[in-house]
Amino acid sequence: EAGVTQFPSHSVIEKGQTVTLRCDPISGHDNLYWYRRVMGKEIKFLLHFVKESKQDESGMPNNRFLAERTGGTYSTLKVQPAELEDSGVYFCASSPWTGESYGYTFGSGTRLTVV
Amino acid sequence: DQQVKQNSPSLSVQEGRISILNCDYTNSMFDYFLWYKKYPAEGPTFLISISSIKDKNEDGRFTVFLNKSAKHLSLHIVPSQPGDSAVYFCAAKVRGSNYKLTFGKGTLLTVNP
């Protein structure tokens, strides 16, 4: 079974530019989550999809961040325009059901650097 | 406002000895606690968990202890192995939420041969 795939693995962009991160969950997993870890800080929840619907986006920092999940399959997280404080590692995770949190499978993350 | 705190950024132990990683929390609504392990360039992977109705959970070399009155939990690894070297994250979820995790900052464990 393929795991959660994220790309790119690294992205370096200039302040003010736009970046789109992609996440391909495990096939058949209805639940998809985005988390972010800013350097040296904790991993923070951003949002949760069930299929194509946003169930909880309480962790999204501001309206420069837009997440979508087309047809309930892969998801994208767009940052526009990027700011320096957006730098960090963005993790995606998926699970087959909204059950125990240990059912999560995390991807390897996208390291975003805004210069 | 950090609700899950891992106050030790790093820990170094000798192979074969016990590793003890600590975690404190402030939110009384947390009812389930988890430990994740993370290797460089990989995502976190689930290690072990404990419900707030228990005070201990054991899985092989890994044991998690929960002290609710002190709002403190710890992860014990016995015996420690070089392959255990990784960042360990403590995480918690609020009663009624089955998906949203609140993480600590992590502790880098180095097990020396």
Side-chain angles (χ1 to χ4, degrees):
Chain A
E1 175 183 76
V4 176
T5 305
Q6 293 186 246
F7 50 94
S9 57
H10 293 82
S11 180
V12 180
I13 62 170
E14 292 184 352
K15 177 181 172 182
Q17 289 187 319
T18 298
V19 63
T20 300
L21 314 181
R22 173 166 168 151
C23 169
D24 286 74
I26 292 173
S27 178
H29 282 195
D30 287 341
N31 295 278
L32 187 148
Y33 317 85
W34 284 97
Y35 282 78
R36 176 175 76 169
R37 185 186 189 203
V38 173
M39 178 72 77
K41 305 259 184 178
E42 63 271 30
I43 301 172
K44 280 195 170 180
F45 171 84
L46 296 179
L47 86 159
H48 169 220
F49 283 100
V50 177
K51 298 186 179 179
E52 67 275 8
S53 300
K54 293 176 188 174
Q55 292 297 297
D56 181 351
E57 50 184 331
S58 61
M60 295 288 264
N62 51 60
N63 59 11
R64 294 185 294 102
F65 289 76
L66 175 65
E68 294 179 321
R69 189 177 183 193
T70 307
T73 55
Y74 70 91
S75 174
T76 58
L77 180 64
K78 180 190 287 188
V79 185
Q80 179 182 31
E83 298 289 343
L84 299 179
E85 64 265 24
D86 301 332
S87 296
V89 182
Y90 290 77
F91 292 104
C92 175
S94 71
S95 69
W97 44 280
T98 310
E100 296 299 339
S101 302
Y102 57 75
Y104 277 20
T105 300
F106 279 90
S108 298
T110 294
R111 180 174 296 276
L112 174 65
T113 303
V114 183
V115 297
Chain B
D1 175 28
Q2 202 178 340
Q3 299 182 58
V4 177
K5 300 177 184 179
Q6 293 178 257
N7 293 320
S8 297
S10 63
L11 175 68
S12 182
V13 301
Q14 285 300 120
E15 180 178 5
R17 305 294 292 270
I18 183 171
S19 295
I20 300 176
L21 297 104
N22 293 304
C23 177
D24 297 290
Y25 63 95
T26 58
N27 190 341
S28 300
M29 295 298 289
F30 287 147
D31 70 340
Y32 199 81
F33 303 89
L34 308 93
W35 285 93
Y36 279 79
K37 177 178 177 180
K38 183 185 175 308
Y39 292 117
E42 295 184 10
T45 56
F46 170 75
L47 190 58
I48 192 170
S49 62
I50 188 167
S51 166
S52 61
I53 63 174
K54 297 185 177 180
D55 55 18
K56 177 183 174 181
N57 188 27
E58 189 172 355
D59 183 3
R61 297 186 297 114
F62 303 91
T63 303
V64 57
F65 296 92
L66 175 62
N67 183 334
K68 283 184 64 179
S69 61
K71 292 190 174 67
H72 176 83
L73 63 155
S74 60
L75 173 67
H76 292 211
I77 307 174
V78 183
S80 301
Q81 299 173 354
D84 296 329
S85 297
V87 178
Y88 289 79
F89 289 96
C90 174
K93 73 171 188 71
V94 170
R95 185 176 302 116
S97 169
N98 284 331
Y99 61 88
K100 185 189 293 187
L101 296 179
T102 301
F103 284 86
K105 291 185 179 181
T107 296
L108 173 62
L109 173 66
T110 303
V111 180
N112 301 302

